[in-house]
Amino acid sequence: MTIAEKIAQELELKQWQVDNTIALLDEGNTIPFISRYRKEVTGELNDEILRTFSDRLTYLRNMEERKADIKRIIEEQGKLTEELAAEIDKAEKLSELEDIYRPYRPKRRTRATVAKEKGLEPLATIIYLQNTKAESVEALASEYINPEKGVETVEDALQGAMDIIAEIVSDNAEHRKEIREITTKTGILQSKAATEESSVYETYYDFAEPVTKAVPHRVLAIDRGENEKFLSVSVSCDEEKILKYLKDSEISDSSSITAYLVEAATEDAYTRLIQPSIEREIRNELTDAAQEQAMQVFKVNLKNLLMQAPIRGQVVLGLDPGYRTGCKVGVVDETGKVLDTGVIYITHSEGQKESAKALIKGLIKKHNITLISIGNGTASKETEIFAANLIKEIPECKVKYIMTNEAGASVYSASKLATEEFPDFDVTQRSAISIARRVQDPLAELVKIEPKAIGVGQYQHDMNQKRLGEVLGGVVEDCVNSVGVDLNTASAPLLQYISGINSTIASNIVKYREEEGRFTSRAQLKKVGKLGTKAFEQCAGFLRISGGKNVLDNTAVHPESYSAAEKLIEYLGYTMKDVEEGNLSDIKTRMKDKDLTALANELGIGVPTLRDIVDEITKPGRDPRDSVEQPLLREDVMSMEDLKPDMILTGTVRNVIDFGAFVDIGVHQDGLVHISQLSDKFVKHPMDVVSIGDIVKVKVLEVNLEKKRISLTMRGID
């Protein structure tokens, strides 16, 4: 079966879809471009399927390369047979492939290689075959005593021979496959306390769970506890069944005088060589699967966070709370331009608090501030109380506040990028500006931060960082391209996530804009340094120009389809001016009863592209995030002490993990809605019910002031 056929089977796709998609990827097309502008070619595969497709294609191609390498190495040893080559070709998993290769792999110095150097391989062969005519094993082994080589006694000779047999048994690919299967089916993942210290891992101080039912977040917690020396972890299994299998496989003649030696060598092979290796493999597989699951959770959370609705048209005051160094202040206008910065002290003396109030009131009136964005880090509760009380004192200003996830703000503010963007501000001021801008356009601001620093996952620091970076980078790329960016205002960090644009081209676009003035048409992109024909094809449709020469430049219609779009507009009885002024409200009526296939053929495009063009010309410059529920704005504040069981509140989902969701209900501590409390119906995974940014109604179950824990439920609320 070819790679293309395997992918078609695994992803349940038609063969032509797979063949076409592979060709598109090999031609250097990006996933966002293929997903949006090559729907006819792929059968409308979305970006999520395409990323899975691309990952699988890379894995299978790497497997083929590894198979070729292994065959080459074995052939150089003169040991490659047709049967062995067929076995290598048949391997489906990397573990199977490495098992086959194990006997031929160059080995480090082992007990078996030492025994071979002592000339004991012939003795091992005789014992292993179990058909010797010798009167006793002692008589057999005595012939191999050689003090010069370190074989002083019969026992030395027999031990060396058994070491060689143990390695032969250990290197048997079929044995490893069978033992791996038995261990997986009967295995129990166990963790015990490795210390008498109290810790967050106490749940796992005496814990056991079948390998087949190991829950991803528990696997990651156990891994971390082991790494931090709080836990000792092992995998136990039905060893009796495994040893019986090995004995049945290896003892060809139980009456042979060497059978007991082979049995002993077989047991040694399992306990010393196979079992530790298989346990390590299974632990690694559990960890890999758990990390992949955690990455998928992180991926969905990140997408929902990036795609939160922007709060448009507001002058925002950003507050980055702090104790000793004070609360940093940053004011930005409706476009994100910095108007003012400063620092206030609200946790020190009453005099300083009054001065802080006077300063903030002055800024609110001076800049007509309508929204205060408060970072949710250290001293955020005090800052929230300060803001809420201040708002009550100036009701005429109609100001509201919002608690903003500040994860990654400090990382950004100390970065080279922030230094280049705000050379005249210090690190603390940049952080306050970032917190203000995050509510205006979450996507544009958050792309400046490394995705894994945004803090909407679980155990992200324990994961394979390269893989995590690839997964999250793909999410950001898909989000940026699905929204599109304004070519005349987008920053270089935002531009470089656009299909076909790298950091160099992004910088060149900004430079061109600064030197030549604003872009008036997408065609001008061809004049940007390093942006060639292929890059233009990949990026043009995702870049918007508001108020340009052609209204289509402010839509997701690709320049390659402009001719078709213009013909369609004329065919429907509209003009380009109608599109510009939004006078296409009756377009659905005019499209009704049209033969879409015939119309698409006449325009020289496919039906999916025709549908997309109709959607885009209906509302130029539209932002898909506008349909998302707006964030919850507050005017008053509560504390944990105000919470009582059965109290019903409205909150914002801040994070979704395998065992539930954390909800901001307007107190300093987010409350946990356990997976069992998310719905009156059975919930397989919290993401089936809630997403980051959702506004939800919750009821308080329990408040633990000492541990600062809030238990919430979404069940039984009308």
Side-chain angles (χ1 to χ4, degrees), residues 591-664:
M591 285 293 296
K592 195 179 177 185
D593 301 327
K594 293 281 189 293
D595 183 334
L596 295 186
T597 303
L599 180 55
N601 288 337
E602 188 179 331
L603 296 172
I605 54 177
V607 172
T609 300
L610 172 60
R611 289 199 191 100
D612 285 346
I613 290 173
V614 171
D615 286 343
E616 288 300 319
I617 62 176
T618 304
K619 196 175 179 183
R622 68 175 176 167
D623 188 327
R625 296 173 297 172
D626 289 342
S627 59
V628 178
E629 193 170 13
Q630 284 284 317
L632 192 64
L633 305 182
R634 300 184 184 278
E635 296 178 63
D636 207 348
V637 66
M638 288 197 307
S639 67
M640 281 185 71
E641 287 77 8
D642 296 326
L643 299 178
K644 297 288 182 287
D646 296 328
M647 187 181 281
I648 294 176
L649 304 160
T650 300
T652 305
V653 177
R654 289 297 184 203
N655 200 4
V656 183
I657 47 181
D658 286 337
F659 54 84
F662 286 99
V663 179
D664 172 11

Side-chain angles (χ1 to χ4, degrees), residues 517-551:
R518 69 189 309 277
F519 286 88
T520 56
S521 77
R522 282 171 169 165
Q524 285 175 271
L525 282 165
K526 295 175 181 177
K527 296 178 183 178
V528 172
K530 306 285 185 184
L531 201 156
T533 305
K534 185 69 176 179
F536 178 81
E537 176 193 54
Q538 299 295 305
C539 75
F542 302 108
L543 298 169
R544 311 279 188 269
I545 299 173
S546 176
K549 294 176 181 176
N550 187 337
V551 68

Side-chain angles (χ1 to χ4, degrees), residues 157-170:
L158 291 175
Q159 184 58 57
M162 288 166 67
D163 286 342
I164 294 170
I165 293 169
E167 192 167 276
I168 291 169
V169 173
S170 171

Side-chain angles (χ1 to χ4, degrees), residues 551-568:
V551 68
L552 295 178
D553 283 346
N554 197 29
T555 69
V557 177
H558 197 282
E560 67 187 10
S561 299
Y562 279 9
S563 175
E566 288 161 1
K567 286 178 187 174
L568 175 65

Side-chain angles (χ1 to χ4, degrees), residues 155-183:
E155 287 73 20
D156 289 345
L158 291 175
Q159 184 58 57
M162 288 166 67
D163 286 342
I164 294 170
I165 293 169
E167 192 167 276
I168 291 169
V169 173
S170 171
D171 284 347
N172 185 303
E174 280 303 311
H175 287 349
R176 284 184 168 266
K177 185 177 180 181
E178 182 66 22
I179 292 168
R180 189 182 291 109
E181 195 172 314
I182 294 172
T183 307

Side-chain angles (χ1 to χ4, degrees), residues 364-411:
I364 288 172
K365 290 171 182 175
K366 177 182 176 183
H367 300 295
N368 294 317
I369 291 165
T370 50
L371 181 63
I372 300 174
S373 174
I374 305 169
N376 66 344
T378 306
S380 63
K381 189 67 205 173
E382 292 85 348
T383 307
E384 184 183 6
I385 293 169
F386 167 81
N389 290 337
L390 185 144
I391 287 170
K392 287 176 186 173
E393 293 178 16
I394 47 171
E396 71 278 5
C397 293
K398 294 183 171 55
V399 182
K400 292 191 177 182
Y401 76 86
I402 183 171
M403 297 305 296
T404 303
N405 187 337
E406 67 171 34
S410 58
V411 175

